[in-house]
Amino acid sequence: MSRLLILGGTGFIGRNLVKYLVDNNCCSKIKVIDKQFPAIAYFSEEITKAFENEIVEFKQGNLNSPTSIEKCYEDPDGGWDCVINLAGETKYGQTAEVYQEKTLDVSIKCAKEAVKRKVPKYIEVSTAQVYKANKKISNEEGDLKPWTRLATSKLECEEKLKELGLQNLIIVRPSCVYGPGDIFGISPRIITAAVYKKLDEKMKFLWNGDLRLNTVHVFDVCAALWLLVQKGENGKTYNLCDKNDTTQSKINTLLEEIFGIKTGFIGKVMSNLAKVNMKSVTEDVNEKHLEPWASLCKDHGILSTPLTPYLDQELLYNNPLYIDGSKIESDLSFEYKHPKMTKELLEEQINYFTKLNLFPNLWK
């Protein structure tokens, strides 16, 4: 059975991956490295149970320190069959220096240690935001032109890692990942919908409903990563994207059902006018949402939550995320078990947080 080292393993994808591996009896040993302790990572009861399994070891580590990284790789029972790198800054709108330190430097240093130890396989989880934003669907050969600073740093990681001489490097580019534990993907839109329910107003987003925001469920990401551990080949890159062809309109339709609100769009003409002064528009939008969200949380006895309706300016432009995730199906016979975003899947995502008293239960 496989021995896996998961870097950045208490984050959104990492926690779900550990649970998937434990539930499916995939490994003989899973070592999880993260700066954030599980006890303060907002784990559900089910994920906490997975991390308590005897095959799982958690170690707090500074993945910017070569000495710390060396200790993270060490294990008395031998080496690792595969390293999965999920570490790095996940917030949008940070400075280039932050992404340099927390994403690029971390990836390079961790990969160098894998080279030194001759790890048989190394999986780097990047993002599909590295592709040029246009109306043409992007497969793995698509034009590369990152449209967030986070994606810019991820693409640089990909390029640098290819130069290091890793034995088997596989790159994974997921579209917008959602599901239980999601904070920065679809969650800000869900939280904004809750705000508009409180305000009793129509929720309007910039641009039109046909703006693509392609998605993939975190459970499918976990299944794909495990498949790549088993069958992934050196030098391959795989997109991960469901069959929903998710757009702003499709998300809004589900949010209307869940929250009982009305939604719409400002349209291209007004959005282009807003684009001229997007910084000010972003500040106004976030100011409108943040106060009622804080009030809503207070009304429901929520004193602290990692969830926020805050939307970074980078994400408000007319940049479609239009991704072809079929290569992993044709190459490796992968099956997306959650091909469509549904009301039930979004409710499951909301319930993850309501059970932890991090999201107001508006349906009592």
Side-chain angles (χ1 to χ4, degrees):
M1 296 178 73
S2 295
R3 291 168 45 81
L4 299 188
L5 178 63
I6 303 176
L7 308 175
T10 65
F12 166 42
I13 296 175
R15 68 186 62 186
N16 282 286
L17 177 59
V18 170
K19 183 177 183 300
Y20 176 90
L21 296 171
V22 170
D23 288 351
N24 290 281
N25 195 29
C26 299
C27 303
S28 60
K29 175 71 179 283
I30 304 167
K31 187 173 184 180
V32 178
I33 311 296
D34 209 301
K35 64 179 181 295
Q36 181 175 235
F37 281 103
I40 58 170
Y42 306 110
F43 279 7
S44 66
E45 184 179 329
E46 295 82 4
I47 287 174
T48 297
K49 184 178 178 182
F51 270 71
E52 290 172 347
N53 190 284
E54 62 182 6
I55 68 165
V56 179
E57 176 192 352
F58 171 80
K59 179 178 175 60
Q60 187 188 40
N62 174 11
L63 295 177
N64 229 317
S65 163
T67 302
S68 176
I69 293 169
E70 188 174 351
K71 291 178 181 177
C72 291
Y73 270 78
E74 289 174 355
D75 189 83
D77 297 324
W80 304 103
D81 296 310
C82 180
V83 173
I84 301 175
N85 184 29
L86 294 159
E89 181 57 66
T90 54
K91 291 181 182 177
Y92 291 100
Q94 307 301 298
T95 64
E97 290 75 19
V98 168
Y99 292 119
Q100 169 81 35
E101 176 189 351
K102 295 186 176 182
T103 300
L104 182 59
D105 290 352
V106 165
S107 288
I108 292 172
K109 290 172 184 176
C110 290
K112 283 183 175 178
E113 187 66 23
V115 172
K116 187 174 82 175
R117 294 175 180 268
K118 296 182 172 59
V119 175
K121 186 170 290 186
Y122 194 97
I123 299 175
E124 178 75 9
V125 180
S126 183
T127 172
Q129 290 177 355
V130 298
Y131 294 111
K132 183 178 180 180
N134 57 35
K135 293 183 178 180
K136 180 183 176 184
I137 193 167
S138 294
N139 61 21
E140 288 79 359
E141 306 302 320
D143 294 338
L144 299 174
K145 189 178 180 182
W147 47 272
T148 63
R149 285 191 288 274
L150 186 154
T152 298
S153 70
K154 284 291 191 180
L155 182 57
E156 195 171 351
C157 288
E158 292 184 23
E159 292 167 347
K160 294 291 185 184
L161 263 55
K162 289 174 183 176
E163 301 170 359
L164 294 181
L166 288 157
Q167 287 193 25
N168 281 289
L169 172 63
I170 299 164
I171 293 167
V172 181
R173 295 173 179 161
S175 50
C176 182
V177 186
Y178 73 102
D182 162 35
I183 292 178
F184 300 117
I186 298 298
S187 275
R189 291 173 184 258
I190 294 174
I191 296 159
T192 301
V195 167
Y196 278 89
K197 182 176 178 66
K198 176 179 173 61
L199 294 173
D200 194 25
E201 295 179 16
K202 185 175 183 177
M203 180 176 75
K204 288 187 175 183
F205 283 116
L206 288 169
W207 312 106
N208 291 331
D210 59 4
L211 178 61
R212 285 183 166 94
L213 180 61
N214 282 186
T215 49
V216 61
H217 196 278
V218 69
F219 294 168
D220 282 329
V221 174
C222 296
L225 289 174
W226 173 236
L227 180 63
L228 291 171
V229 169
Q230 300 172 89
K231 298 183 178 180
E233 296 178 5
N234 181 40
K236 295 283 188 177
T237 297
Y238 288 104
N239 295 337
L240 297 178
C241 188
D242 61 28
K243 305 299 181 184
N244 198 51
D245 192 16
T246 308
T247 61
Q248 288 201 121
S249 180
K250 288 182 179 180
I251 296 171
N252 277 15
T253 298
L254 296 175
L255 295 178
E256 286 180 349
E257 291 182 44
I258 293 169
F259 291 96
I261 60 172
K262 292 182 178 179
T263 69
F265 302 94
I266 293 173
K268 286 187 178 180
V269 174
M270 294 301 294
S271 296
N272 277 317
L273 288 173
K275 183 180 174 182
V276 175
N277 194 12
M278 190 65 93
K279 182 179 180 182
S280 176
V281 169
T282 304
E283 289 172 353
D284 290 346
V285 166
N286 285 319
E287 186 177 336
K288 178 179 174 68
H289 298 158
L290 288 169
E291 192 282 326
W293 171 245
S295 174
L296 189 60
C297 289
K298 184 179 178 182
D299 292 346
H300 286 78
I302 298 171
L303 302 178
S304 178
T305 177
L307 300 173
T308 173
Y310 182 87
L311 285 167
D312 190 81
Q313 182 177 332
E314 287 185 305
L315 301 178
L316 296 181
Y317 290 98
N318 189 21
N319 290 323
L321 187 65
Y322 189 19
I323 305 301
D324 179 355
S326 64
K327 180 182 174 183
I328 193 169
E329 294 176 294
S330 57
D331 280 11
L332 302 175
S333 300
F334 179 69
E335 179 186 357
Y336 290 96
K337 295 291 181 64
H338 303 82
K340 303 284 186 181
M341 178 185 283
T342 64
K343 175 173 176 277
E344 291 73 25
L345 289 175
L346 290 189
E347 286 174 337
E348 181 182 34
Q349 177 168 327
I350 294 167
N351 290 339
Y352 177 97
F353 291 113
T354 57
K355 287 179 181 177
L356 295 171
N357 198 33
L358 299 172
F359 190 102
N361 191 340
L362 305 175
W363 303 272
K364 282 184 178 178

